[in-house]
Amino acid sequence: MTRLILTLPLVALFQCDKDESVAAYGAADQTWALQEIDGQPYVATALLRFPEEGKIEGNAPCNSYSGTLNAPYPWFEIQDLTATRAACAGLEAEGFYFAALMTMTQSEVSGGVLILRNEDGHEMVFKAVE
């Protein structure tokens, strides 16, 4: 019994190292292109990637960006989002993208489709780039 009590914390410690984010559930090793926000086509180009455990990166219409993702699947929460500061004609679309991305709280991966949504009913649909 004593061995079991001493072993359980070690098992829990090893489980903490396991990636439980959306990346571990089918989103890693893909580049995701935004298709629509709230059912409306997104006409600019925005890409999202999960390069390593707990990280996101991508390209918005004007700038590249990165951040931290540490919520267990299906939850989705970005922290410490940073972006380069280039100006271009797509800055309005980029602002719309970042504003929507930061409000997303849930994720779902189904084959080549990644859906991010929040409790207010907003949704972003990405497709895997081939």
Side-chain angles (χ1 to χ4, degrees), residues 48-78:
L48 173 63
R49 291 179 292 280
F50 301 89
E52 61 185 79
E53 183 178 330
K55 301 289 182 187
I56 65 159
E57 68 178 22
N59 301 89
C62 297
N63 293 284
S64 59
Y65 65 93
S66 63
T68 304
L69 178 69
N70 61 1
Y73 187 77
W75 306 112
F76 187 87
E77 179 185 0
I78 297 174

mmCIF file of all heavy atoms in Angstrom, residues 48-78:
data_model
loop_
_atom_site.group_PDB
_atom_site.id
_atom_site.type_symbol
_atom_site.label_atom_id
_atom_site.label_comp_id
_atom_site.label_asym_id
_atom_site.label_seq_id
_atom_site.Cartn_x
_atom_site.Cartn_y
_atom_site.Cartn_z
ATOM 1 N N LEU A 48 -2.431 29.333 -39.352
ATOM 2 C CA LEU A 48 -2.205 28.955 -37.953
ATOM 3 C C LEU A 48 -1.457 27.630 -37.931
ATOM 4 O O LEU A 48 -1.809 26.712 -38.667
ATOM 5 C CB LEU A 48 -3.554 28.827 -37.231
ATOM 6 C CG LEU A 48 -3.562 28.292 -35.806
ATOM 7 C CD1 LEU A 48 -2.785 29.221 -34.866
ATOM 8 C CD2 LEU A 48 -5.000 28.140 -35.325
ATOM 9 N N ARG A 49 -0.415 27.544 -37.096
ATOM 10 C CA ARG A 49 0.356 26.308 -36.929
ATOM 11 C C ARG A 49 0.597 26.054 -35.445
ATOM 12 O O ARG A 49 0.568 26.983 -34.636
ATOM 13 C CB ARG A 49 1.704 26.420 -37.653
ATOM 14 C CG ARG A 49 1.594 26.435 -39.161
ATOM 15 C CD ARG A 49 2.954 26.575 -39.836
ATOM 16 N NE ARG A 49 3.577 27.873 -39.622
ATOM 17 C CZ ARG A 49 3.274 28.983 -40.292
ATOM 18 N NH1 ARG A 49 2.353 28.951 -41.234
ATOM 19 N NH2 ARG A 49 3.892 30.114 -40.035
ATOM 20 N N PHE A 50 0.865 24.812 -35.123
ATOM 21 C CA PHE A 50 1.202 24.383 -33.773
ATOM 22 C C PHE A 50 2.599 23.758 -33.840
ATOM 23 O O PHE A 50 2.735 22.539 -33.954
ATOM 24 C CB PHE A 50 0.168 23.378 -33.263
ATOM 25 C CG PHE A 50 -1.233 23.949 -33.252
ATOM 26 C CD1 PHE A 50 -2.060 23.839 -34.366
ATOM 27 C CD2 PHE A 50 -1.722 24.602 -32.130
ATOM 28 C CE1 PHE A 50 -3.337 24.371 -34.367
ATOM 29 C CE2 PHE A 50 -3.004 25.142 -32.122
ATOM 30 C CZ PHE A 50 -3.813 25.021 -33.238
ATOM 31 N N PRO A 51 3.658 24.566 -33.788
ATOM 32 C CA PRO A 51 5.011 24.081 -34.072
ATOM 33 C C PRO A 51 5.605 23.177 -33.008
ATOM 34 O O PRO A 51 6.454 22.339 -33.305
ATOM 35 C CB PRO A 51 5.826 25.364 -34.202
ATOM 36 C CG PRO A 51 5.107 26.331 -33.312
ATOM 37 C CD PRO A 51 3.651 25.986 -33.465
ATOM 38 N N GLU A 52 5.182 23.362 -31.769
ATOM 39 C CA GLU A 52 5.686 22.536 -30.673
ATOM 40 C C GLU A 52 4.683 22.604 -29.540
ATOM 41 O O GLU A 52 3.784 23.448 -29.534
ATOM 42 C CB GLU A 52 7.066 22.996 -30.210
ATOM 43 C CG GLU A 52 7.092 24.414 -29.681
ATOM 44 C CD GLU A 52 8.491 24.880 -29.343
ATOM 45 O OE1 GLU A 52 9.224 25.252 -30.276
ATOM 46 O OE2 GLU A 52 8.834 24.876 -28.152
ATOM 47 N N GLU A 53 4.859 21.743 -28.583
ATOM 48 C CA GLU A 53 3.920 21.665 -27.476
ATOM 49 C C GLU A 53 3.751 23.021 -26.790
ATOM 50 O O GLU A 53 4.724 23.681 -26.435
ATOM 51 C CB GLU A 53 4.420 20.639 -26.463
ATOM 52 C CG GLU A 53 3.491 20.425 -25.302
ATOM 53 C CD GLU A 53 4.001 19.361 -24.344
ATOM 54 O OE1 GLU A 53 4.691 18.423 -24.793
ATOM 55 O OE2 GLU A 53 3.697 19.478 -23.153
ATOM 56 N N GLY A 54 2.501 23.436 -26.655
ATOM 57 C CA GLY A 54 2.188 24.662 -25.955
ATOM 58 C C GLY A 54 2.426 25.943 -26.736
ATOM 59 O O GLY A 54 2.358 27.031 -26.173
ATOM 60 N N LYS A 55 2.687 25.839 -28.035
ATOM 61 C CA LYS A 55 2.987 27.017 -28.840
ATOM 62 C C LYS A 55 2.082 27.081 -30.066
ATOM 63 O O LYS A 55 1.673 26.060 -30.602
ATOM 64 C CB LYS A 55 4.446 27.004 -29.325
ATOM 65 C CG LYS A 55 5.461 26.956 -28.223
ATOM 66 C CD LYS A 55 5.523 28.266 -27.485
ATOM 67 C CE LYS A 55 6.595 28.210 -26.410
ATOM 68 N NZ LYS A 55 6.570 29.383 -25.574
ATOM 69 N N ILE A 56 1.790 28.313 -30.478
ATOM 70 C CA ILE A 56 1.139 28.547 -31.771
ATOM 71 C C ILE A 56 1.992 29.544 -32.530
ATOM 72 O O ILE A 56 2.773 30.296 -31.931
ATOM 73 C CB ILE A 56 -0.302 29.084 -31.644
ATOM 74 C CG1 ILE A 56 -0.300 30.472 -31.008
ATOM 75 C CG2 ILE A 56 -1.202 28.123 -30.916
ATOM 76 C CD1 ILE A 56 -1.550 31.269 -31.301
ATOM 77 N N GLU A 57 1.842 29.548 -33.838
ATOM 78 C CA GLU A 57 2.472 30.551 -34.682
ATOM 79 C C GLU A 57 1.689 30.619 -35.972
ATOM 80 O O GLU A 57 0.872 29.753 -36.252
ATOM 81 C CB GLU A 57 3.942 30.224 -34.958
ATOM 82 C CG GLU A 57 4.133 28.995 -35.822
ATOM 83 C CD GLU A 57 5.596 28.701 -36.119
ATOM 84 O OE1 GLU A 57 6.477 29.162 -35.369
ATOM 85 O OE2 GLU A 57 5.836 27.991 -37.110
ATOM 86 N N GLY A 58 1.951 31.650 -36.727
ATOM 87 C CA GLY A 58 1.258 31.745 -38.000
ATOM 88 C C GLY A 58 1.565 33.028 -38.716
ATOM 89 O O GLY A 58 2.448 33.794 -38.322
ATOM 90 N N ASN A 59 0.801 33.236 -39.768
ATOM 91 C CA ASN A 59 0.915 34.430 -40.584
ATOM 92 C C ASN A 59 -0.473 35.021 -40.738
ATOM 93 O O ASN A 59 -1.380 34.352 -41.220
ATOM 94 C CB ASN A 59 1.494 34.097 -41.958
ATOM 95 C CG ASN A 59 2.857 33.469 -41.837
ATOM 96 O OD1 ASN A 59 2.976 32.257 -41.721
ATOM 97 N ND2 ASN A 59 3.886 34.280 -41.832
ATOM 98 N N ALA A 60 -0.609 36.260 -40.298
ATOM 99 C CA ALA A 60 -1.840 37.004 -40.499
ATOM 100 C C ALA A 60 -1.680 37.748 -41.830
ATOM 101 O O ALA A 60 -0.644 37.626 -42.473
ATOM 102 C CB ALA A 60 -2.050 37.952 -39.320
ATOM 103 N N PRO A 61 -2.662 38.506 -42.271
ATOM 104 C CA PRO A 61 -2.535 39.164 -43.569
ATOM 105 C C PRO A 61 -1.279 40.021 -43.745
ATOM 106 O O PRO A 61 -0.755 40.117 -44.846
ATOM 107 C CB PRO A 61 -3.806 40.018 -43.643
ATOM 108 C CG PRO A 61 -4.804 39.232 -42.864
ATOM 109 C CD PRO A 61 -4.014 38.663 -41.715
ATOM 110 N N CYS A 62 -0.777 40.616 -42.676
ATOM 111 C CA CYS A 62 0.413 41.475 -42.784
ATOM 112 C C CYS A 62 1.614 40.950 -41.996
ATOM 113 O O CYS A 62 2.745 41.190 -42.379
ATOM 114 C CB CYS A 62 0.101 42.877 -42.275
ATOM 115 S SG CYS A 62 -1.161 43.737 -43.218
ATOM 116 N N ASN A 63 1.389 40.326 -40.882
ATOM 117 C CA ASN A 63 2.454 40.018 -39.942
ATOM 118 C C ASN A 63 2.468 38.556 -39.523
ATOM 119 O O ASN A 63 1.434 37.886 -39.540
ATOM 120 C CB ASN A 63 2.285 40.893 -38.689
ATOM 121 C CG ASN A 63 2.510 42.344 -38.987
ATOM 122 O OD1 ASN A 63 3.641 42.769 -39.147
ATOM 123 N ND2 ASN A 63 1.430 43.119 -39.084
ATOM 124 N N SER A 64 3.644 38.105 -39.115
ATOM 125 C CA SER A 64 3.737 36.784 -38.496
ATOM 126 C C SER A 64 3.478 36.967 -37.001
ATOM 127 O O SER A 64 3.648 38.061 -36.456
ATOM 128 C CB SER A 64 5.104 36.157 -38.761
ATOM 129 O OG SER A 64 6.128 36.975 -38.263
ATOM 130 N N TYR A 65 3.047 35.900 -36.347
ATOM 131 C CA TYR A 65 2.701 35.985 -34.937
ATOM 132 C C TYR A 65 3.042 34.680 -34.234
ATOM 133 O O TYR A 65 3.263 33.650 -34.867
ATOM 134 C CB TYR A 65 1.213 36.322 -34.750
ATOM 135 C CG TYR A 65 0.269 35.249 -35.240
ATOM 136 C CD1 TYR A 65 -0.203 34.261 -34.384
ATOM 137 C CD2 TYR A 65 -0.153 35.212 -36.562
ATOM 138 C CE1 TYR A 65 -1.073 33.271 -34.830
ATOM 139 C CE2 TYR A 65 -1.016 34.246 -37.019
ATOM 140 C CZ TYR A 65 -1.472 33.272 -36.152
ATOM 141 O OH TYR A 65 -2.322 32.296 -36.598
ATOM 142 N N SER A 66 3.067 34.737 -32.915
ATOM 143 C CA SER A 66 3.283 33.539 -32.099
ATOM 144 C C SER A 66 2.634 33.775 -30.743
ATOM 145 O O SER A 66 2.312 34.895 -30.369
ATOM 146 C CB SER A 66 4.778 33.252 -31.940
ATOM 147 O OG SER A 66 5.406 34.306 -31.245
ATOM 148 N N GLY A 67 2.438 32.689 -30.030
ATOM 149 C CA GLY A 67 1.831 32.776 -28.711
ATOM 150 C C GLY A 67 1.919 31.460 -27.985
ATOM 151 O O GLY A 67 2.464 30.477 -28.494
ATOM 152 N N THR A 68 1.355 31.447 -26.810
ATOM 153 C CA THR A 68 1.349 30.267 -25.953
ATOM 154 C C THR A 68 -0.059 29.704 -25.885
ATOM 155 O O THR A 68 -1.028 30.447 -25.768
ATOM 156 C CB THR A 68 1.819 30.652 -24.536
ATOM 157 O OG1 THR A 68 3.102 31.257 -24.636
ATOM 158 C CG2 THR A 68 1.903 29.448 -23.634
ATOM 159 N N LEU A 69 -0.143 28.398 -25.947
ATOM 160 C CA LEU A 69 -1.417 27.682 -25.849
ATOM 161 C C LEU A 69 -1.249 26.632 -24.768
ATOM 162 O O LEU A 69 -0.432 25.726 -24.912
ATOM 163 C CB LEU A 69 -1.754 27.021 -27.189
ATOM 164 C CG LEU A 69 -3.024 26.203 -27.263
ATOM 165 C CD1 LEU A 69 -4.249 27.117 -27.151
ATOM 166 C CD2 LEU A 69 -3.085 25.433 -28.564
ATOM 167 N N ASN A 70 -2.002 26.749 -23.679
ATOM 168 C CA ASN A 70 -1.800 25.789 -22.596
ATOM 169 C C ASN A 70 -3.091 25.233 -22.017
ATOM 170 O O ASN A 70 -3.121 24.778 -20.895
ATOM 171 C CB ASN A 70 -0.945 26.410 -21.492
ATOM 172 C CG ASN A 70 -1.584 27.621 -20.865
ATOM 173 O OD1 ASN A 70 -2.686 28.013 -21.222
ATOM 174 N ND2 ASN A 70 -0.894 28.228 -19.938
ATOM 175 N N ALA A 71 -4.142 25.247 -22.775
ATOM 176 C CA ALA A 71 -5.414 24.700 -22.312
ATOM 177 C C ALA A 71 -5.576 23.274 -22.828
ATOM 178 O O ALA A 71 -5.252 22.986 -23.975
ATOM 179 C CB ALA A 71 -6.566 25.562 -22.794
ATOM 180 N N PRO A 72 -6.076 22.362 -21.997
ATOM 181 C CA PRO A 72 -6.276 20.990 -22.458
ATOM 182 C C PRO A 72 -7.447 20.897 -23.434
ATOM 183 O O PRO A 72 -8.433 21.622 -23.303
ATOM 184 C CB PRO A 72 -6.568 20.214 -21.172
ATOM 185 C CG PRO A 72 -7.125 21.239 -20.235
ATOM 186 C CD PRO A 72 -6.461 22.541 -20.596
ATOM 187 N N TYR A 73 -7.299 20.019 -24.422
ATOM 188 C CA TYR A 73 -8.333 19.810 -25.431
ATOM 189 C C TYR A 73 -9.624 19.380 -24.764
ATOM 190 O O TYR A 73 -9.581 18.566 -23.859
ATOM 191 C CB TYR A 73 -7.862 18.723 -26.407
ATOM 192 C CG TYR A 73 -8.765 18.518 -27.599
ATOM 193 C CD1 TYR A 73 -8.748 19.405 -28.656
ATOM 194 C CD2 TYR A 73 -9.626 17.439 -27.657
ATOM 195 C CE1 TYR A 73 -9.572 19.211 -29.765
ATOM 196 C CE2 TYR A 73 -10.447 17.243 -28.753
ATOM 197 C CZ TYR A 73 -10.415 18.133 -29.796
ATOM 198 O OH TYR A 73 -11.225 17.950 -30.875
ATOM 199 N N PRO A 74 -10.749 19.904 -25.133
ATOM 200 C CA PRO A 74 -11.057 20.727 -26.295
ATOM 201 C C PRO A 74 -10.963 22.231 -26.035
ATOM 202 O O PRO A 74 -11.338 23.023 -26.881
ATOM 203 C CB PRO A 74 -12.490 20.352 -26.619
ATOM 204 C CG PRO A 74 -13.115 20.142 -25.277
ATOM 205 C CD PRO A 74 -12.004 19.481 -24.462
ATOM 206 N N TRP A 75 -10.466 22.638 -24.875
ATOM 207 C CA TRP A 75 -10.387 24.062 -24.560
ATOM 208 C C TRP A 75 -9.258 24.704 -25.350
ATOM 209 O O TRP A 75 -8.292 24.061 -25.733
ATOM 210 C CB TRP A 75 -10.220 24.274 -23.056
ATOM 211 C CG TRP A 75 -11.289 23.566 -22.304
ATOM 212 C CD1 TRP A 75 -11.144 22.484 -21.483
ATOM 213 C CD2 TRP A 75 -12.698 23.823 -22.373
ATOM 214 N NE1 TRP A 75 -12.370 22.077 -21.022
ATOM 215 C CE2 TRP A 75 -13.338 22.872 -21.553
ATOM 216 C CE3 TRP A 75 -13.462 24.759 -23.040
ATOM 217 C CZ2 TRP A 75 -14.717 22.845 -21.383
ATOM 218 C CZ3 TRP A 75 -14.840 24.722 -22.878
ATOM 219 C CH2 TRP A 75 -15.452 23.775 -22.055
ATOM 220 N N PHE A 76 -9.397 25.981 -25.574
ATOM 221 C CA PHE A 76 -8.453 26.728 -26.397
ATOM 222 C C PHE A 76 -8.275 28.101 -25.772
ATOM 223 O O PHE A 76 -9.239 28.844 -25.624
ATOM 224 C CB PHE A 76 -9.014 26.858 -27.820
ATOM 225 C CG PHE A 76 -8.066 27.450 -28.813
ATOM 226 C CD1 PHE A 76 -7.163 26.648 -29.493
ATOM 227 C CD2 PHE A 76 -8.076 28.810 -29.082
ATOM 228 C CE1 PHE A 76 -6.291 27.186 -30.428
ATOM 229 C CE2 PHE A 76 -7.206 29.363 -30.010
ATOM 230 C CZ PHE A 76 -6.312 28.547 -30.687
ATOM 231 N N GLU A 77 -7.052 28.419 -25.388
ATOM 232 C CA GLU A 77 -6.779 29.723 -24.783
ATOM 233 C C GLU A 77 -5.379 30.161 -25.183
ATOM 234 O O GLU A 77 -4.403 29.482 -24.887
ATOM 235 C CB GLU A 77 -6.875 29.645 -23.267
ATOM 236 C CG GLU A 77 -6.583 30.940 -22.580
ATOM 237 C CD GLU A 77 -6.572 30.824 -21.067
ATOM 238 O OE1 GLU A 77 -6.789 29.737 -20.527
ATOM 239 O OE2 GLU A 77 -6.324 31.858 -20.435
ATOM 240 N N ILE A 78 -5.301 31.282 -25.862
ATOM 241 C CA ILE A 78 -4.018 31.827 -26.284
ATOM 242 C C ILE A 78 -3.577 32.879 -25.280
ATOM 243 O O ILE A 78 -4.368 33.732 -24.876
ATOM 244 C CB ILE A 78 -4.113 32.466 -27.680
ATOM 245 C CG1 ILE A 78 -4.471 31.403 -28.722
ATOM 246 C CG2 ILE A 78 -2.807 33.151 -28.051
ATOM 247 C CD1 ILE A 78 -4.729 31.965 -30.092
#
